[in-house]
Amino acid sequence: MKITVPATSANLGCGFDSIGIAVNRYLTIEVLEKADVWQVEHTLGEEIPSNADNLLIETALQVKSDLVPHRIKMTSDIPLTRGLGSSSSVIVAGIELANQLGKLELTQDEKLNIACKIEGHPDNVAPALLGNLVVASFIDGEAYAIPLHFPYCALLAYIPNTELSTKRSREVLPSSLSFEDAVKASAISNVMIAALSKHHLHLAGKMIEQDLFHEKYRTPLVPEITTIREIAKKHNAYATYLSGAGPTVMMFVASNLRKNLALELEKLELDGEVVYLEIDRIGVNISGFED
């Protein structure tokens, strides 16, 4: 019995807290035999609890408090605190765990609402649940989401070896924008969504890199993004942006240009890994559950 949830890359520059894509790194939850207490077996580090304090189980019990404990095996190739939605994948998996073990028959809308109430915003949990590109909002306790088919292109990510907590990354953001800047930022985001929906990657990329909401404030925390963007432009990448709260830097590029861009970035000898990624089109996947 397995639950598989993809990693996610949020914001896409100007889609702050509301837009994300699912990518092909995965959290996998294997539900094994019933147990006296919850047991979560993993190799993700001592700081990740192996009992009911694990975020997976905490989430599941928020959805249904009387679930029968099981032994769980958790594996993941989603790096922690790197801006690839590692915690959101666990939240989505926890909701699905409760849904399956509790036979709740939750709809996708119900799952998304629960996830947003726990996470606070939809940019990671929505694509983790639905796959592909998702434009979403969470307003007055109600989630709204529109999945879109992300236009075909290759993805390339620079994933630093250093962590960057969402809390620290949010601390550098301004508490408000001027009305003029807010209108401009909103217009940029609107055009980006329209361009992506029409598969106009050149225009979408231009808008992504004109973000006014967060990147300019977070760049000092991830200074290598400036050099990476310059090199990506030389290789005709569509866009380079800070994935989620960072520090991962994501690039959209034509598939025939990705290898040369990757080789050029590796020459920088930065403290991190250059990774090929693809869009996950499925979202959360469940297999093997029985009545």
PDB file of all heavy atoms in Angstrom, residues 267-284:
ATOM      1  N   LYS A 267      30.733  24.135 -14.270  1.00  0.00           N
ATOM      2  CA  LYS A 267      32.072  24.739 -14.284  1.00  0.00           C
ATOM      3  C   LYS A 267      32.245  25.789 -13.186  1.00  0.00           C
ATOM      4  O   LYS A 267      33.372  26.130 -12.813  1.00  0.00           O
ATOM      5  CB  LYS A 267      32.337  25.378 -15.651  1.00  0.00           C
ATOM      6  CG  LYS A 267      32.503  24.388 -16.791  1.00  0.00           C
ATOM      7  CD  LYS A 267      32.736  25.125 -18.108  1.00  0.00           C
ATOM      8  CE  LYS A 267      32.822  24.169 -19.289  1.00  0.00           C
ATOM      9  NZ  LYS A 267      32.994  24.900 -20.579  1.00  0.00           N
ATOM     10  N   LEU A 268      31.120  26.313 -12.687  1.00  0.00           N
ATOM     11  CA  LEU A 268      31.200  27.314 -11.614  1.00  0.00           C
ATOM     12  C   LEU A 268      31.682  26.713 -10.299  1.00  0.00           C
ATOM     13  O   LEU A 268      32.132  27.441  -9.406  1.00  0.00           O
ATOM     14  CB  LEU A 268      29.823  27.959 -11.393  1.00  0.00           C
ATOM     15  CG  LEU A 268      29.235  28.766 -12.547  1.00  0.00           C
ATOM     16  CD1 LEU A 268      27.826  29.234 -12.201  1.00  0.00           C
ATOM     17  CD2 LEU A 268      30.122  29.966 -12.877  1.00  0.00           C
ATOM     18  N   GLU A 269      31.540  25.389 -10.175  1.00  0.00           N
ATOM     19  CA  GLU A 269      31.943  24.670  -8.955  1.00  0.00           C
ATOM     20  C   GLU A 269      31.281  25.275  -7.708  1.00  0.00           C
ATOM     21  O   GLU A 269      31.922  25.500  -6.678  1.00  0.00           O
ATOM     22  CB  GLU A 269      33.464  24.646  -8.810  1.00  0.00           C
ATOM     23  CG  GLU A 269      34.157  23.891  -9.944  1.00  0.00           C
ATOM     24  CD  GLU A 269      35.659  23.773  -9.762  1.00  0.00           C
ATOM     25  OE1 GLU A 269      36.196  24.447  -8.851  1.00  0.00           O
ATOM     26  OE2 GLU A 269      36.288  23.012 -10.512  1.00  0.00           O
ATOM     27  N   LEU A 270      29.985  25.536  -7.835  1.00  0.00           N
ATOM     28  CA  LEU A 270      29.227  26.041  -6.700  1.00  0.00           C
ATOM     29  C   LEU A 270      29.003  24.911  -5.692  1.00  0.00           C
ATOM     30  O   LEU A 270      29.145  23.730  -6.019  1.00  0.00           O
ATOM     31  CB  LEU A 270      27.873  26.587  -7.171  1.00  0.00           C
ATOM     32  CG  LEU A 270      27.929  27.788  -8.115  1.00  0.00           C
ATOM     33  CD1 LEU A 270      26.546  28.085  -8.682  1.00  0.00           C
ATOM     34  CD2 LEU A 270      28.481  29.005  -7.391  1.00  0.00           C
ATOM     35  N   ASP A 271      28.659  25.292  -4.487  1.00  0.00           N
ATOM     36  CA  ASP A 271      28.433  24.309  -3.422  1.00  0.00           C
ATOM     37  C   ASP A 271      27.016  23.760  -3.528  1.00  0.00           C
ATOM     38  O   ASP A 271      26.117  24.116  -2.762  1.00  0.00           O
ATOM     39  CB  ASP A 271      28.641  24.963  -2.049  1.00  0.00           C
ATOM     40  CG  ASP A 271      28.514  23.953  -0.913  1.00  0.00           C
ATOM     41  OD1 ASP A 271      28.667  22.737  -1.177  1.00  0.00           O
ATOM     42  OD2 ASP A 271      28.245  24.385   0.224  1.00  0.00           O
ATOM     43  N   GLY A 272      26.818  22.899  -4.513  1.00  0.00           N
ATOM     44  CA  GLY A 272      25.493  22.341  -4.726  1.00  0.00           C
ATOM     45  C   GLY A 272      25.500  21.421  -5.930  1.00  0.00           C
ATOM     46  O   GLY A 272      26.547  21.105  -6.503  1.00  0.00           O
ATOM     47  N   GLU A 273      24.310  21.009  -6.338  1.00  0.00           N
ATOM     48  CA  GLU A 273      24.137  20.024  -7.395  1.00  0.00           C
ATOM     49  C   GLU A 273      23.267  20.602  -8.511  1.00  0.00           C
ATOM     50  O   GLU A 273      22.261  21.253  -8.247  1.00  0.00           O
ATOM     51  CB  GLU A 273      23.463  18.780  -6.799  1.00  0.00           C
ATOM     52  CG  GLU A 273      23.266  17.631  -7.756  1.00  0.00           C
ATOM     53  CD  GLU A 273      22.554  16.464  -7.104  1.00  0.00           C
ATOM     54  OE1 GLU A 273      22.023  16.627  -5.982  1.00  0.00           O
ATOM     55  OE2 GLU A 273      22.523  15.382  -7.726  1.00  0.00           O
ATOM     56  N   VAL A 274      23.670  20.363  -9.746  1.00  0.00           N
ATOM     57  CA  VAL A 274      22.860  20.732 -10.906  1.00  0.00           C
ATOM     58  C   VAL A 274      22.060  19.493 -11.317  1.00  0.00           C
ATOM     59  O   VAL A 274      22.630  18.440 -11.594  1.00  0.00           O
ATOM     60  CB  VAL A 274      23.742  21.222 -12.066  1.00  0.00           C
ATOM     61  CG1 VAL A 274      22.879  21.555 -13.292  1.00  0.00           C
ATOM     62  CG2 VAL A 274      24.542  22.454 -11.635  1.00  0.00           C
ATOM     63  N   VAL A 275      20.723  19.627 -11.339  1.00  0.00           N
ATOM     64  CA  VAL A 275      19.841  18.458 -11.466  1.00  0.00           C
ATOM     65  C   VAL A 275      18.871  18.640 -12.627  1.00  0.00           C
ATOM     66  O   VAL A 275      18.249  19.698 -12.768  1.00  0.00           O
ATOM     67  CB  VAL A 275      19.039  18.257 -10.159  1.00  0.00           C
ATOM     68  CG1 VAL A 275      18.068  17.088 -10.287  1.00  0.00           C
ATOM     69  CG2 VAL A 275      19.989  18.029  -8.983  1.00  0.00           C
ATOM     70  N   TYR A 276      18.727  17.600 -13.444  1.00  0.00           N
ATOM     71  CA  TYR A 276      17.695  17.571 -14.478  1.00  0.00           C
ATOM     72  C   TYR A 276      16.363  17.198 -13.843  1.00  0.00           C
ATOM     73  O   TYR A 276      16.279  16.222 -13.108  1.00  0.00           O
ATOM     74  CB  TYR A 276      18.026  16.515 -15.539  1.00  0.00           C
ATOM     75  CG  TYR A 276      19.167  16.839 -16.472  1.00  0.00           C
ATOM     76  CD1 TYR A 276      20.220  17.667 -16.090  1.00  0.00           C
ATOM     77  CD2 TYR A 276      19.201  16.292 -17.746  1.00  0.00           C
ATOM     78  CE1 TYR A 276      21.262  17.951 -16.951  1.00  0.00           C
ATOM     79  CE2 TYR A 276      20.251  16.564 -18.624  1.00  0.00           C
ATOM     80  CZ  TYR A 276      21.280  17.397 -18.216  1.00  0.00           C
ATOM     81  OH  TYR A 276      22.316  17.678 -19.069  1.00  0.00           O
ATOM     82  N   LEU A 277      15.315  17.952 -14.139  1.00  0.00           N
ATOM     83  CA  LEU A 277      13.984  17.649 -13.631  1.00  0.00           C
ATOM     84  C   LEU A 277      12.971  17.698 -14.771  1.00  0.00           C
ATOM     85  O   LEU A 277      13.226  18.282 -15.817  1.00  0.00           O
ATOM     86  CB  LEU A 277      13.571  18.649 -12.540  1.00  0.00           C
ATOM     87  CG  LEU A 277      14.352  18.603 -11.220  1.00  0.00           C
ATOM     88  CD1 LEU A 277      13.944  19.768 -10.323  1.00  0.00           C
ATOM     89  CD2 LEU A 277      14.150  17.278 -10.500  1.00  0.00           C
ATOM     90  N   GLU A 278      11.817  17.101 -14.518  1.00  0.00           N
ATOM     91  CA  GLU A 278      10.702  17.146 -15.459  1.00  0.00           C
ATOM     92  C   GLU A 278       9.429  17.479 -14.691  1.00  0.00           C
ATOM     93  O   GLU A 278       9.370  17.336 -13.464  1.00  0.00           O
ATOM     94  CB  GLU A 278      10.526  15.793 -16.176  1.00  0.00           C
ATOM     95  CG  GLU A 278      11.779  15.257 -16.853  1.00  0.00           C
ATOM     96  CD  GLU A 278      12.253  16.099 -18.025  1.00  0.00           C
ATOM     97  OE1 GLU A 278      11.433  16.865 -18.571  1.00  0.00           O
ATOM     98  OE2 GLU A 278      13.448  15.992 -18.388  1.00  0.00           O
ATOM     99  N   ILE A 279       8.405  17.902 -15.405  1.00  0.00           N
ATOM    100  CA  ILE A 279       7.103  18.160 -14.791  1.00  0.00           C
ATOM    101  C   ILE A 279       6.434  16.837 -14.437  1.00  0.00           C
ATOM    102  O   ILE A 279       6.407  15.903 -15.243  1.00  0.00           O
ATOM    103  CB  ILE A 279       6.195  18.960 -15.740  1.00  0.00           C
ATOM    104  CG1 ILE A 279       6.800  20.326 -16.038  1.00  0.00           C
ATOM    105  CG2 ILE A 279       4.789  19.117 -15.157  1.00  0.00           C
ATOM    106  CD1 ILE A 279       6.829  21.274 -14.868  1.00  0.00           C
ATOM    107  N   ASP A 280       5.909  16.738 -13.230  1.00  0.00           N
ATOM    108  CA  ASP A 280       5.059  15.605 -12.864  1.00  0.00           C
ATOM    109  C   ASP A 280       3.623  15.962 -13.252  1.00  0.00           C
ATOM    110  O   ASP A 280       3.106  16.999 -12.836  1.00  0.00           O
ATOM    111  CB  ASP A 280       5.139  15.332 -11.360  1.00  0.00           C
ATOM    112  CG  ASP A 280       4.175  14.250 -10.917  1.00  0.00           C
ATOM    113  OD1 ASP A 280       2.998  14.582 -10.667  1.00  0.00           O
ATOM    114  OD2 ASP A 280       4.582  13.093 -10.839  1.00  0.00           O
ATOM    115  N   ARG A 281       2.994  15.117 -14.037  1.00  0.00           N
ATOM    116  CA  ARG A 281       1.659  15.404 -14.565  1.00  0.00           C
ATOM    117  C   ARG A 281       0.544  14.762 -13.742  1.00  0.00           C
ATOM    118  O   ARG A 281      -0.632  14.951 -14.049  1.00  0.00           O
ATOM    119  CB  ARG A 281       1.546  14.894 -16.009  1.00  0.00           C
ATOM    120  CG  ARG A 281       2.634  15.406 -16.961  1.00  0.00           C
ATOM    121  CD  ARG A 281       2.440  16.846 -17.327  1.00  0.00           C
ATOM    122  NE  ARG A 281       3.454  17.299 -18.286  1.00  0.00           N
ATOM    123  CZ  ARG A 281       3.537  18.544 -18.740  1.00  0.00           C
ATOM    124  NH1 ARG A 281       2.684  19.465 -18.344  1.00  0.00           N
ATOM    125  NH2 ARG A 281       4.486  18.883 -19.601  1.00  0.00           N
ATOM    126  N   ILE A 282       0.880  14.021 -12.686  1.00  0.00           N
ATOM    127  CA  ILE A 282      -0.120  13.213 -11.978  1.00  0.00           C
ATOM    128  C   ILE A 282      -0.482  13.771 -10.609  1.00  0.00           C
ATOM    129  O   ILE A 282      -1.646  13.807 -10.216  1.00  0.00           O
ATOM    130  CB  ILE A 282       0.378  11.759 -11.834  1.00  0.00           C
ATOM    131  CG1 ILE A 282       0.561  11.126 -13.210  1.00  0.00           C
ATOM    132  CG2 ILE A 282      -0.599  10.927 -10.998  1.00  0.00           C
ATOM    133  CD1 ILE A 282       1.220   9.768 -13.185  1.00  0.00           C
ATOM    134  N   GLY A 283       0.508  14.217  -9.848  1.00  0.00           N
ATOM    135  CA  GLY A 283       0.251  14.615  -8.468  1.00  0.00           C
ATOM    136  C   GLY A 283       0.281  13.405  -7.549  1.00  0.00           C
ATOM    137  O   GLY A 283       0.973  12.418  -7.826  1.00  0.00           O
ATOM    138  N   VAL A 284      -0.487  13.459  -6.474  1.00  0.00           N
ATOM    139  CA  VAL A 284      -0.481  12.345  -5.527  1.00  0.00           C
ATOM    140  C   VAL A 284      -0.996  11.077  -6.208  1.00  0.00           C
ATOM    141  O   VAL A 284      -1.946  11.114  -6.999  1.00  0.00           O
ATOM    142  CB  VAL A 284      -1.324  12.684  -4.278  1.00  0.00           C
ATOM    143  CG1 VAL A 284      -2.789  12.878  -4.609  1.00  0.00           C
ATOM    144  CG2 VAL A 284      -1.154  11.611  -3.196  1.00  0.00           C
TER     145      VAL A 284
END
